[in-house]
Amino acid sequence: MDFVMKQALGGATKDMGKMLGGDEEKDPDAAKKEEEQQEALRQEEEERKAKYAKMEAEREIMRQGIRDKYGIKKKEEKEAEAQATLEANAEGSLTRPKKAIPPGCGDEEEEEGSILDTVIKYLPGPLQDMFKK
């Protein structure tokens, strides 16, 4: 079959072989070139990130100057103040948001016997004797 293809195509069989998935010529320096290319890409990416970080820092300095000039607060500062105000206002309120359950208050399932012992402990002496029997 190769002979027929060579005759039909003339001298273009090298290129046809590559297009049909045949053996490609291997460059001995291909791995080295690939590694150099990857390193160049990494370096360009690092330079780009450094450039944009520098630009963002300059923008933030400019933003801070404007905030200082006009007395504007950052979003984070506003949210922190709003949260503190909400907590301060809600401290004595009946509708305040629920806080986490304190440790030891219903988190653990206790045995019924231990609960009964706790209740008996607070009863007067004669009643304690009745329940212990």
Side-chain angles (χ1 to χ4, degrees):
M1 176 119 178
D2 288 335
F3 177 75
V4 173
M5 293 220 9
K6 285 181 185 178
Q7 292 298 321
L9 297 173
T13 56
K14 280 187 177 180
D15 295 333
M16 284 300 294
K18 289 180 186 176
M19 285 193 284
L20 295 174
D23 294 332
E24 296 183 24
E25 295 177 19
K26 295 186 179 182
D27 187 14
D29 297 331
K32 184 178 179 183
K33 288 179 183 178
E34 180 70 26
E35 186 177 317
E36 289 175 359
Q37 184 180 16
Q38 291 297 326
E39 181 60 33
L41 287 174
R42 272 189 238 110
Q43 186 176 2
E44 288 176 6
E45 182 71 18
E46 289 172 5
E47 290 173 0
R48 184 186 66 79
K49 285 182 180 181
K51 174 185 168 187
Y52 285 107
K54 179 182 174 187
M55 289 170 51
E56 187 59 32
E58 291 173 357
R59 287 186 193 119
E60 187 57 35
I61 291 170
M62 187 179 294
R63 289 183 198 121
Q64 190 60 45
I66 293 170
R67 282 188 209 106
D68 293 341
K69 182 177 179 181
Y70 295 106
I72 302 170
K73 296 183 180 178
K74 280 185 167 182
K75 271 187 179 180
E76 295 89 26
E77 292 174 2
K78 286 181 182 178
E79 290 172 0
E81 278 187 12
Q83 185 67 22
T85 305
L86 180 65
E87 288 177 3
N89 290 341
E91 193 61 38
S93 173
L94 294 175
T95 59
R96 72 172 186 261
K98 293 183 178 179
K99 295 185 179 180
I101 299 172
C105 293
D107 292 343
E108 306 162 6
E109 292 187 26
E110 299 177 6
E111 299 176 16
E112 291 182 27
S114 65
I115 295 173
L116 187 58
D117 292 337
T118 306
V119 171
I120 291 173
K121 183 171 67 172
Y122 292 105
L123 293 175
L127 289 176
Q128 284 182 3
D129 293 338
M130 275 183 21
F131 281 107
K132 286 183 181 178
K133 294 179 181 177

